[in-house]
Amino acid sequence: MTDQNAASDGGKDETRASTLDFLKSLIDRRVGAMFLLGIGAGLPFFLIFDTLSVWLRQEGLSLQAITAFALATLSYALKFVWAPIVDRVKLPVLGDLLGQRRSWILLMQILIAVGLWLISGSDPSSMLGYVAFLAVVVGIAGATQDIAIDAWRIEAVEKKDYGVMAGAYQWGYRGAMIVAGAVPLFLAEAYNWNVSYAVMAAFMLVAMAATLFAPRGGEVRVRFVDVSDLPEHRVYETLEWSGRLLIIALGALLAGSGLAANATLLAALLDLAGMSSEQAEAFRTAWEARPNGIFLQFPGVVAGLGLIALACIPLPGIETRPGLYLRRAYGQPLGDFFERFGLKLGMLILALICLYRLSDFVLNLMGPFYVDLGFTLGQIAEVRKIYGVVASLAGIAAGAWMVTRFGVLRSMLIGVFASPLSNLVFIWVAMAGPDMAVLYAAITIDNFATGIAGTALIVYMSSLTSAGFTATQYALFSSLYAILGKIVASQSGRIVEESARASDAGGFNTFMRQWFTALPEQSYAAGAQTAGVTPAALGAGYVTFFIYSVVIGVFAVVLAFTVARRQGEIEARARAADTGTPATG
């Protein structure tokens, strides 16, 4: 049974199910379809950069050229820009046959398959620009597929089933990581890269079958922007649309370049605008520098988002069709959110979304950490890439069960503790040295906790959306936490090294050095030499960093309980929205 209003009840009382009901839900047709759609969502993301970069390197391309392909994945961070189209535009023919969400999913899957097939017939060494264009097309189609899949996932079930659907999606996505990361490499070694990508294109047929197999789900009225009450001036409107879309494109380029820490396209644009090649290259180098490039990247993200907002503002004193359309397309989903939750509570909820997984996102240097400790590459791969995936899947399953059993709000509160508490175990790892038993224990705790937290956040964000705006609102929420996480995580290495130098210089964490005197000689030795500090100081730097990651999580915990305490206000607003009476309190 579907509940068309499930997505719009923000904080209403929800029906909780038993463990038996959870187990029964696993054989639901929608859950099986969600698992396969998760695979279809993950394949293009990994194939257009991670796996493609291996092919490009074997073709002799430079690392700089390969790194530029990361821009193809920017569409996933910027998908909120065109999410309103997925909410509002009904596709001809497919829309009637499959419904609003599945029609968009299937169309994007076809584009992804065609794009991968065309890549399979290409030679990157002589057709690099063509391959790059195809990678961008596949990236945009993949991000758009994600928008529609998220909307279908939310609208197809009742709120009590959000957890199992989120779990199935993540299990499928993890499966895609394995398929897209390993299978193409084996096929390329046995045959060639062209065959490898042709097989991956064919693999998208599985996702297409899942789309056709999936039920239509809760039908959502598409809210078109009605501008018929304004007079039509085609020439002026064409010019205005061109100007506004150009500003949006420039804003997306700025924000995307900041998020990717890659200014290749910006430098090329500046070169076209008249800047000398040397100046454009100097700009690109400064933008991409680590770690100081963040001082250009962060303003770039802010300026880019500002330009996108500016493009949606009506002309002063003049109401035009393009201005009205864009204002409503982007303004209505945000307006609906703040109407339901109020400005203060709405801002608290958005802040919670931004901070919820931040303590996880900053741990983006765990690979170097394990190397510095003295683990071998084989040991790291065994624990992180093989066993760690199993622990993550277990955590996702536990998170899905928690939502079914305890509801969205309680699961959100449990999940917000998971990340910061699990980060504490890495202090133990840092002090234990290259001990495999300790590493296994830490990865078990961390990946299991991360699986719970990730599922809880997905479900919580899903519960905040409204029918008719599901795609746009969820895309905005998911972009929010991804953008802040990437910006803050860019400073992780700086924090470790500066904390290590402070320890050597008699700073606040000098006392920590004594914790590392009994470690094997190889622990932290190579990393310390690179950073110009003593091994014990580098250990102290890592411990300081892990404490910092826990403190970030504490802010999220405080916000989560602040929001939970105002649950009564959320429920009152939800009831008022249903009855049309004003909410009190």
mmCIF file of all heavy atoms in Angstrom, residues 131-177:
data_model
loop_
_atom_site.group_PDB
_atom_site.id
_atom_site.type_symbol
_atom_site.label_atom_id
_atom_site.label_comp_id
_atom_site.label_asym_id
_atom_site.label_seq_id
_atom_site.Cartn_x
_atom_site.Cartn_y
_atom_site.Cartn_z
ATOM 1 N N VAL A 131 35.451 11.668 -25.870
ATOM 2 C CA VAL A 131 35.234 10.832 -24.690
ATOM 3 C C VAL A 131 34.842 11.699 -23.487
ATOM 4 O O VAL A 131 33.964 11.332 -22.701
ATOM 5 C CB VAL A 131 36.488 9.995 -24.382
ATOM 6 C CG1 VAL A 131 36.333 9.256 -23.052
ATOM 7 C CG2 VAL A 131 36.762 9.000 -25.505
ATOM 8 N N ALA A 132 35.487 12.865 -23.348
ATOM 9 C CA ALA A 132 35.157 13.773 -22.253
ATOM 10 C C ALA A 132 33.711 14.249 -22.361
ATOM 11 O O ALA A 132 32.986 14.318 -21.350
ATOM 12 C CB ALA A 132 36.112 14.960 -22.251
ATOM 13 N N PHE A 133 33.285 14.584 -23.585
ATOM 14 C CA PHE A 133 31.901 15.016 -23.796
ATOM 15 C C PHE A 133 30.924 13.908 -23.408
ATOM 16 O O PHE A 133 29.924 14.156 -22.718
ATOM 17 C CB PHE A 133 31.699 15.406 -25.257
ATOM 18 C CG PHE A 133 30.259 15.615 -25.644
ATOM 19 C CD1 PHE A 133 29.588 16.759 -25.252
ATOM 20 C CD2 PHE A 133 29.579 14.658 -26.395
ATOM 21 C CE1 PHE A 133 28.249 16.946 -25.596
ATOM 22 C CE2 PHE A 133 28.253 14.838 -26.739
ATOM 23 C CZ PHE A 133 27.583 15.986 -26.336
ATOM 24 N N LEU A 134 31.218 12.680 -23.815
ATOM 25 C CA LEU A 134 30.347 11.550 -23.478
ATOM 26 C C LEU A 134 30.311 11.319 -21.968
ATOM 27 O O LEU A 134 29.253 11.003 -21.402
ATOM 28 C CB LEU A 134 30.818 10.289 -24.191
ATOM 29 C CG LEU A 134 30.649 10.263 -25.712
ATOM 30 C CD1 LEU A 134 31.273 9.001 -26.295
ATOM 31 C CD2 LEU A 134 29.172 10.346 -26.097
ATOM 32 N N ALA A 135 31.464 11.479 -21.300
ATOM 33 C CA ALA A 135 31.507 11.305 -19.856
ATOM 34 C C ALA A 135 30.620 12.338 -19.162
ATOM 35 O O ALA A 135 29.926 12.019 -18.189
ATOM 36 C CB ALA A 135 32.945 11.415 -19.353
ATOM 37 N N VAL A 136 30.637 13.575 -19.665
ATOM 38 C CA VAL A 136 29.781 14.626 -19.095
ATOM 39 C C VAL A 136 28.307 14.285 -19.309
ATOM 40 O O VAL A 136 27.478 14.433 -18.396
ATOM 41 C CB VAL A 136 30.119 15.990 -19.713
ATOM 42 C CG1 VAL A 136 29.084 17.034 -19.311
ATOM 43 C CG2 VAL A 136 31.508 16.443 -19.283
ATOM 44 N N VAL A 137 27.963 13.815 -20.506
ATOM 45 C CA VAL A 137 26.572 13.440 -20.804
ATOM 46 C C VAL A 137 26.118 12.323 -19.873
ATOM 47 O O VAL A 137 25.019 12.367 -19.301
ATOM 48 C CB VAL A 137 26.429 13.015 -22.275
ATOM 49 C CG1 VAL A 137 25.050 12.409 -22.523
ATOM 50 C CG2 VAL A 137 26.649 14.212 -23.195
ATOM 51 N N VAL A 138 26.959 11.291 -19.714
ATOM 52 C CA VAL A 138 26.622 10.179 -18.826
ATOM 53 C C VAL A 138 26.490 10.675 -17.389
ATOM 54 O O VAL A 138 25.593 10.243 -16.646
ATOM 55 C CB VAL A 138 27.680 9.062 -18.927
ATOM 56 C CG1 VAL A 138 27.435 7.990 -17.857
ATOM 57 C CG2 VAL A 138 27.655 8.421 -20.310
ATOM 58 N N GLY A 139 27.372 11.617 -16.983
ATOM 59 C CA GLY A 139 27.296 12.162 -15.633
ATOM 60 C C GLY A 139 26.000 12.905 -15.383
ATOM 61 O O GLY A 139 25.362 12.731 -14.336
ATOM 62 N N ILE A 140 25.585 13.744 -16.325
ATOM 63 C CA ILE A 140 24.332 14.492 -16.175
ATOM 64 C C ILE A 140 23.139 13.539 -16.159
ATOM 65 O O ILE A 140 22.220 13.676 -15.338
ATOM 66 C CB ILE A 140 24.190 15.523 -17.304
ATOM 67 C CG1 ILE A 140 25.269 16.610 -17.159
ATOM 68 C CG2 ILE A 140 22.800 16.154 -17.297
ATOM 69 C CD1 ILE A 140 25.319 17.592 -18.309
ATOM 70 N N ALA A 141 23.157 12.550 -17.058
ATOM 71 C CA ALA A 141 22.062 11.574 -17.088
ATOM 72 C C ALA A 141 22.034 10.761 -15.792
ATOM 73 O O ALA A 141 20.956 10.478 -15.247
ATOM 74 C CB ALA A 141 22.222 10.644 -18.292
ATOM 75 N N GLY A 142 23.212 10.400 -15.276
ATOM 76 C CA GLY A 142 23.270 9.649 -14.023
ATOM 77 C C GLY A 142 22.750 10.451 -12.852
ATOM 78 O O GLY A 142 22.018 9.927 -11.996
ATOM 79 N N ALA A 143 23.118 11.733 -12.781
ATOM 80 C CA ALA A 143 22.632 12.585 -11.692
ATOM 81 C C ALA A 143 21.127 12.786 -11.788
ATOM 82 O O ALA A 143 20.418 12.796 -10.770
ATOM 83 C CB ALA A 143 23.348 13.934 -11.737
ATOM 84 N N THR A 144 20.614 12.944 -13.009
ATOM 85 C CA THR A 144 19.172 13.108 -13.201
ATOM 86 C C THR A 144 18.434 11.827 -12.844
ATOM 87 O O THR A 144 17.339 11.862 -12.254
ATOM 88 C CB THR A 144 18.875 13.510 -14.654
ATOM 89 O OG1 THR A 144 19.673 14.636 -15.012
ATOM 90 C CG2 THR A 144 17.403 13.875 -14.824
ATOM 91 N N GLN A 145 19.031 10.682 -13.191
ATOM 92 C CA GLN A 145 18.454 9.404 -12.775
ATOM 93 C C GLN A 145 18.363 9.340 -11.251
ATOM 94 O O GLN A 145 17.354 8.895 -10.694
ATOM 95 C CB GLN A 145 19.315 8.243 -13.287
ATOM 96 C CG GLN A 145 18.788 6.882 -12.847
ATOM 97 C CD GLN A 145 19.775 5.757 -13.077
ATOM 98 O OE1 GLN A 145 19.390 4.626 -13.341
ATOM 99 N NE2 GLN A 145 21.060 6.030 -12.957
ATOM 100 N N ASP A 146 19.410 9.804 -10.555
ATOM 101 C CA ASP A 146 19.400 9.815 -9.091
ATOM 102 C C ASP A 146 18.248 10.655 -8.548
ATOM 103 O O ASP A 146 17.582 10.266 -7.583
ATOM 104 C CB ASP A 146 20.728 10.389 -8.569
ATOM 105 C CG ASP A 146 21.811 9.336 -8.483
ATOM 106 O OD1 ASP A 146 21.603 8.218 -8.977
ATOM 107 O OD2 ASP A 146 22.892 9.652 -7.939
ATOM 108 N N ILE A 147 18.021 11.813 -9.156
ATOM 109 C CA ILE A 147 16.930 12.691 -8.722
ATOM 110 C C ILE A 147 15.593 11.945 -8.785
ATOM 111 O O ILE A 147 14.803 11.955 -7.830
ATOM 112 C CB ILE A 147 16.868 13.951 -9.609
ATOM 113 C CG1 ILE A 147 18.127 14.802 -9.436
ATOM 114 C CG2 ILE A 147 15.623 14.782 -9.269
ATOM 115 C CD1 ILE A 147 18.237 15.928 -10.460
ATOM 116 N N ALA A 148 15.353 11.306 -9.920
ATOM 117 C CA ALA A 148 14.073 10.611 -10.112
ATOM 118 C C ALA A 148 13.965 9.362 -9.232
ATOM 119 O O ALA A 148 12.880 9.059 -8.705
ATOM 120 C CB ALA A 148 13.914 10.228 -11.588
ATOM 121 N N ILE A 149 15.073 8.635 -9.052
ATOM 122 C CA ILE A 149 15.053 7.442 -8.199
ATOM 123 C C ILE A 149 14.741 7.823 -6.757
ATOM 124 O O ILE A 149 13.943 7.166 -6.071
ATOM 125 C CB ILE A 149 16.396 6.684 -8.287
ATOM 126 C CG1 ILE A 149 16.507 5.963 -9.629
ATOM 127 C CG2 ILE A 149 16.524 5.674 -7.145
ATOM 128 C CD1 ILE A 149 17.835 5.251 -9.847
ATOM 129 N N ASP A 150 15.393 8.882 -6.259
ATOM 130 C CA ASP A 150 15.123 9.331 -4.888
ATOM 131 C C ASP A 150 13.652 9.705 -4.717
ATOM 132 O O ASP A 150 13.033 9.374 -3.695
ATOM 133 C CB ASP A 150 16.013 10.528 -4.542
ATOM 134 C CG ASP A 150 17.454 10.129 -4.256
ATOM 135 O OD1 ASP A 150 17.673 9.008 -3.774
ATOM 136 O OD2 ASP A 150 18.361 10.937 -4.529
ATOM 137 N N ALA A 151 13.089 10.391 -5.702
ATOM 138 C CA ALA A 151 11.677 10.781 -5.611
ATOM 139 C C ALA A 151 10.777 9.550 -5.613
ATOM 140 O O ALA A 151 9.825 9.465 -4.819
ATOM 141 C CB ALA A 151 11.325 11.710 -6.774
ATOM 142 N N TRP A 152 11.067 8.585 -6.484
ATOM 143 C CA TRP A 152 10.246 7.362 -6.526
ATOM 144 C C TRP A 152 10.376 6.593 -5.219
ATOM 145 O O TRP A 152 9.374 6.082 -4.684
ATOM 146 C CB TRP A 152 10.682 6.477 -7.697
ATOM 147 C CG TRP A 152 9.885 5.196 -7.766
ATOM 148 C CD1 TRP A 152 8.656 5.022 -8.330
ATOM 149 C CD2 TRP A 152 10.246 3.928 -7.207
ATOM 150 N NE1 TRP A 152 8.229 3.724 -8.159
ATOM 151 C CE2 TRP A 152 9.192 3.031 -7.475
ATOM 152 C CE3 TRP A 152 11.356 3.463 -6.517
ATOM 153 C CZ2 TRP A 152 9.226 1.698 -7.077
ATOM 154 C CZ3 TRP A 152 11.394 2.136 -6.105
ATOM 155 C CH2 TRP A 152 10.341 1.267 -6.392
ATOM 156 N N ARG A 153 11.588 6.497 -4.675
ATOM 157 C CA ARG A 153 11.824 5.771 -3.423
ATOM 158 C C ARG A 153 10.975 6.335 -2.294
ATOM 159 O O ARG A 153 10.426 5.582 -1.472
ATOM 160 C CB ARG A 153 13.315 5.856 -3.063
ATOM 161 C CG ARG A 153 13.656 5.322 -1.687
ATOM 162 C CD ARG A 153 15.141 5.414 -1.401
ATOM 163 N NE ARG A 153 15.672 6.751 -1.536
ATOM 164 C CZ ARG A 153 15.534 7.714 -0.636
ATOM 165 N NH1 ARG A 153 14.848 7.474 0.476
ATOM 166 N NH2 ARG A 153 16.069 8.912 -0.827
ATOM 167 N N ILE A 154 10.843 7.655 -2.261
ATOM 168 C CA ILE A 154 10.094 8.309 -1.191
ATOM 169 C C ILE A 154 8.587 8.174 -1.402
ATOM 170 O O ILE A 154 7.832 7.920 -0.454
ATOM 171 C CB ILE A 154 10.489 9.797 -1.112
ATOM 172 C CG1 ILE A 154 11.955 9.928 -0.685
ATOM 173 C CG2 ILE A 154 9.587 10.557 -0.135
ATOM 174 C CD1 ILE A 154 12.521 11.326 -0.858
ATOM 175 N N GLU A 155 8.160 8.301 -2.631
ATOM 176 C CA GLU A 155 6.719 8.361 -2.912
ATOM 177 C C GLU A 155 6.070 6.989 -3.043
ATOM 178 O O GLU A 155 4.848 6.879 -2.940
ATOM 179 C CB GLU A 155 6.488 9.150 -4.201
ATOM 180 C CG GLU A 155 6.889 10.615 -4.085
ATOM 181 C CD GLU A 155 6.964 11.320 -5.421
ATOM 182 O OE1 GLU A 155 6.828 10.647 -6.471
ATOM 183 O OE2 GLU A 155 7.170 12.552 -5.426
ATOM 184 N N ALA A 156 6.856 5.941 -3.241
ATOM 185 C CA ALA A 156 6.283 4.626 -3.543
ATOM 186 C C ALA A 156 5.842 3.863 -2.303
ATOM 187 O O ALA A 156 5.135 2.856 -2.424
ATOM 188 C CB ALA A 156 7.293 3.784 -4.329
ATOM 189 N N VAL A 157 6.249 4.313 -1.099
ATOM 190 C CA VAL A 157 5.953 3.546 0.110
ATOM 191 C C VAL A 157 5.488 4.465 1.230
ATOM 192 O O VAL A 157 5.596 5.682 1.150
ATOM 193 C CB VAL A 157 7.207 2.762 0.591
ATOM 194 C CG1 VAL A 157 7.640 1.739 -0.441
ATOM 195 C CG2 VAL A 157 8.357 3.716 0.906
ATOM 196 N N GLU A 158 4.972 3.837 2.294
ATOM 197 C CA GLU A 158 4.632 4.579 3.500
ATOM 198 C C GLU A 158 5.907 4.906 4.274
ATOM 199 O O GLU A 158 6.956 4.296 4.075
ATOM 200 C CB GLU A 158 3.693 3.751 4.378
ATOM 201 C CG GLU A 158 2.373 3.402 3.700
ATOM 202 C CD GLU A 158 1.516 2.486 4.569
ATOM 203 O OE1 GLU A 158 1.677 2.542 5.808
ATOM 204 O OE2 GLU A 158 0.727 1.715 4.015
ATOM 205 N N LYS A 159 5.791 5.847 5.173
ATOM 206 C CA LYS A 159 6.972 6.293 5.911
ATOM 207 C C LYS A 159 7.631 5.153 6.688
ATOM 208 O O LYS A 159 8.857 5.102 6.808
ATOM 209 C CB LYS A 159 6.617 7.434 6.854
ATOM 210 C CG LYS A 159 7.840 7.956 7.614
ATOM 211 C CD LYS A 159 7.490 9.023 8.627
ATOM 212 C CE LYS A 159 7.305 10.357 7.973
ATOM 213 N NZ LYS A 159 7.225 11.459 8.974
ATOM 214 N N LYS A 160 6.857 4.219 7.208
ATOM 215 C CA LYS A 160 7.445 3.125 7.982
ATOM 216 C C LYS A 160 8.360 2.255 7.130
ATOM 217 O O LYS A 160 9.200 1.518 7.673
ATOM 218 C CB LYS A 160 6.336 2.264 8.608
ATOM 219 C CG LYS A 160 5.499 1.478 7.606
ATOM 220 C CD LYS A 160 4.436 0.661 8.297
ATOM 221 C CE LYS A 160 3.570 -0.102 7.300
ATOM 222 N NZ LYS A 160 4.336 -1.082 6.524
ATOM 223 N N ASP A 161 8.224 2.338 5.807
ATOM 224 C CA ASP A 161 9.064 1.541 4.908
ATOM 225 C C ASP A 161 10.219 2.337 4.310
ATOM 226 O O ASP A 161 10.956 1.825 3.462
ATOM 227 C CB ASP A 161 8.215 0.959 3.769
ATOM 228 C CG ASP A 161 7.179 -0.034 4.273
ATOM 229 O OD1 ASP A 161 7.529 -0.833 5.158
ATOM 230 O OD2 ASP A 161 6.029 -0.002 3.789
ATOM 231 N N TYR A 162 10.391 3.579 4.742
ATOM 232 C CA TYR A 162 11.501 4.384 4.229
ATOM 233 C C TYR A 162 12.849 3.714 4.506
ATOM 234 O O TYR A 162 13.773 3.771 3.698
ATOM 235 C CB TYR A 162 11.501 5.774 4.889
ATOM 236 C CG TYR A 162 10.526 6.769 4.303
ATOM 237 C CD1 TYR A 162 9.611 6.396 3.324
ATOM 238 C CD2 TYR A 162 10.526 8.085 4.738
ATOM 239 C CE1 TYR A 162 8.721 7.324 2.808
ATOM 240 C CE2 TYR A 162 9.641 9.021 4.220
ATOM 241 C CZ TYR A 162 8.738 8.630 3.259
ATOM 242 O OH TYR A 162 7.861 9.549 2.744
ATOM 243 N N GLY A 163 12.959 3.113 5.680
ATOM 244 C CA GLY A 163 14.226 2.514 6.072
ATOM 245 C C GLY A 163 14.633 1.371 5.177
ATOM 246 O O GLY A 163 15.778 1.309 4.716
ATOM 247 N N VAL A 164 13.719 0.451 4.914
ATOM 248 C CA VAL A 164 14.066 -0.714 4.095
ATOM 249 C C VAL A 164 14.349 -0.298 2.660
ATOM 250 O O VAL A 164 15.221 -0.870 1.992
ATOM 251 C CB VAL A 164 12.953 -1.784 4.171
ATOM 252 C CG1 VAL A 164 11.680 -1.336 3.464
ATOM 253 C CG2 VAL A 164 13.440 -3.106 3.603
ATOM 254 N N MET A 165 13.659 0.731 2.171
ATOM 255 C CA MET A 165 13.925 1.219 0.816
ATOM 256 C C MET A 165 15.299 1.898 0.743
ATOM 257 O O MET A 165 16.063 1.702 -0.218
ATOM 258 C CB MET A 165 12.837 2.186 0.379
ATOM 259 C CG MET A 165 11.484 1.532 0.152
ATOM 260 S SD MET A 165 11.441 0.479 -1.322
ATOM 261 C CE MET A 165 11.106 1.708 -2.587
ATOM 262 N N ALA A 166 15.624 2.684 1.768
ATOM 263 C CA ALA A 166 16.947 3.327 1.800
ATOM 264 C C ALA A 166 18.046 2.282 1.915
ATOM 265 O O ALA A 166 19.109 2.400 1.284
ATOM 266 C CB ALA A 166 17.027 4.304 2.971
ATOM 267 N N GLY A 167 17.799 1.233 2.708
ATOM 268 C CA GLY A 167 18.775 0.166 2.838
ATOM 269 C C GLY A 167 18.978 -0.580 1.537
ATOM 270 O O GLY A 167 20.121 -0.880 1.147
ATOM 271 N N ALA A 168 17.890 -0.876 0.842
ATOM 272 C CA ALA A 168 17.993 -1.595 -0.434
ATOM 273 C C ALA A 168 18.759 -0.765 -1.460
ATOM 274 O O ALA A 168 19.585 -1.298 -2.222
ATOM 275 C CB ALA A 168 16.589 -1.920 -0.956
ATOM 276 N N TYR A 169 18.497 0.538 -1.474
ATOM 277 C CA TYR A 169 19.208 1.420 -2.411
ATOM 278 C C TYR A 169 20.700 1.412 -2.127
ATOM 279 O O TYR A 169 21.527 1.287 -3.040
ATOM 280 C CB TYR A 169 18.660 2.844 -2.282
ATOM 281 C CG TYR A 169 19.402 3.857 -3.127
ATOM 282 C CD1 TYR A 169 19.121 4.002 -4.480
ATOM 283 C CD2 TYR A 169 20.396 4.660 -2.578
ATOM 284 C CE1 TYR A 169 19.808 4.920 -5.262
ATOM 285 C CE2 TYR A 169 21.081 5.580 -3.341
ATOM 286 C CZ TYR A 169 20.789 5.707 -4.687
ATOM 287 O OH TYR A 169 21.475 6.607 -5.457
ATOM 288 N N GLN A 170 21.065 1.519 -0.852
ATOM 289 C CA GLN A 170 22.487 1.557 -0.505
ATOM 290 C C GLN A 170 23.173 0.220 -0.757
ATOM 291 O O GLN A 170 24.337 0.179 -1.175
ATOM 292 C CB GLN A 170 22.654 1.961 0.958
ATOM 293 C CG GLN A 170 22.279 3.407 1.229
ATOM 294 C CD GLN A 170 22.511 3.766 2.674
ATOM 295 O OE1 GLN A 170 23.569 4.231 3.071
ATOM 296 N NE2 GLN A 170 21.500 3.522 3.484
ATOM 297 N N TRP A 171 22.481 -0.878 -0.511
ATOM 298 C CA TRP A 171 23.051 -2.185 -0.830
ATOM 299 C C TRP A 171 23.319 -2.291 -2.333
ATOM 300 O O TRP A 171 24.370 -2.782 -2.753
ATOM 301 C CB TRP A 171 22.088 -3.293 -0.377
ATOM 302 C CG TRP A 171 22.331 -3.757 1.022
ATOM 303 C CD1 TRP A 171 22.301 -3.002 2.155
ATOM 304 C CD2 TRP A 171 22.659 -5.079 1.433
ATOM 305 N NE1 TRP A 171 22.572 -3.772 3.252
ATOM 306 C CE2 TRP A 171 22.791 -5.052 2.853
ATOM 307 C CE3 TRP A 171 22.823 -6.294 0.779
ATOM 308 C CZ2 TRP A 171 23.102 -6.193 3.597
ATOM 309 C CZ3 TRP A 171 23.129 -7.432 1.521
ATOM 310 C CH2 TRP A 171 23.273 -7.381 2.900
ATOM 311 N N GLY A 172 22.372 -1.839 -3.126
ATOM 312 C CA GLY A 172 22.570 -1.864 -4.575
ATOM 313 C C GLY A 172 23.710 -0.969 -4.999
ATOM 314 O O GLY A 172 24.527 -1.337 -5.870
ATOM 315 N N TYR A 173 23.801 0.199 -4.383
ATOM 316 C CA TYR A 173 24.864 1.154 -4.726
ATOM 317 C C TYR A 173 26.232 0.583 -4.387
ATOM 318 O O TYR A 173 27.193 0.732 -5.149
ATOM 319 C CB TYR A 173 24.634 2.465 -3.975
ATOM 320 C CG TYR A 173 25.311 3.663 -4.611
ATOM 321 C CD1 TYR A 173 24.663 4.391 -5.598
ATOM 322 C CD2 TYR A 173 26.582 4.066 -4.223
ATOM 323 C CE1 TYR A 173 25.260 5.499 -6.191
ATOM 324 C CE2 TYR A 173 27.192 5.167 -4.806
ATOM 325 C CZ TYR A 173 26.530 5.879 -5.786
ATOM 326 O OH TYR A 173 27.130 6.957 -6.373
ATOM 327 N N ARG A 174 26.328 -0.088 -3.209
ATOM 328 C CA ARG A 174 27.594 -0.733 -2.846
ATOM 329 C C ARG A 174 27.930 -1.851 -3.832
ATOM 330 O O ARG A 174 29.091 -2.065 -4.175
ATOM 331 C CB ARG A 174 27.514 -1.307 -1.421
ATOM 332 C CG ARG A 174 27.358 -0.300 -0.314
ATOM 333 C CD ARG A 174 28.530 0.646 -0.196
ATOM 334 N NE ARG A 174 28.559 1.360 1.063
ATOM 335 C CZ ARG A 174 27.802 2.394 1.390
ATOM 336 N NH1 ARG A 174 26.895 2.830 0.535
ATOM 337 N NH2 ARG A 174 27.935 3.005 2.540
ATOM 338 N N GLY A 175 26.898 -2.550 -4.278
ATOM 339 C CA GLY A 175 27.133 -3.581 -5.283
ATOM 340 C C GLY A 175 27.678 -2.992 -6.573
ATOM 341 O O GLY A 175 28.559 -3.576 -7.226
ATOM 342 N N ALA A 176 27.166 -1.802 -6.935
ATOM 343 C CA ALA A 176 27.659 -1.131 -8.141
ATOM 344 C C ALA A 176 29.120 -0.737 -7.992
ATOM 345 O O ALA A 176 29.880 -0.763 -8.970
ATOM 346 C CB ALA A 176 26.806 0.104 -8.429
ATOM 347 N N MET A 177 29.542 -0.373 -6.783
ATOM 348 C CA MET A 177 30.956 -0.050 -6.550
ATOM 349 C C MET A 177 31.846 -1.243 -6.905
ATOM 350 O O MET A 177 32.914 -1.085 -7.512
ATOM 351 C CB MET A 177 31.176 0.337 -5.083
ATOM 352 C CG MET A 177 30.572 1.650 -4.670
ATOM 353 S SD MET A 177 30.714 1.954 -2.877
ATOM 354 C CE MET A 177 32.499 1.937 -2.680
#
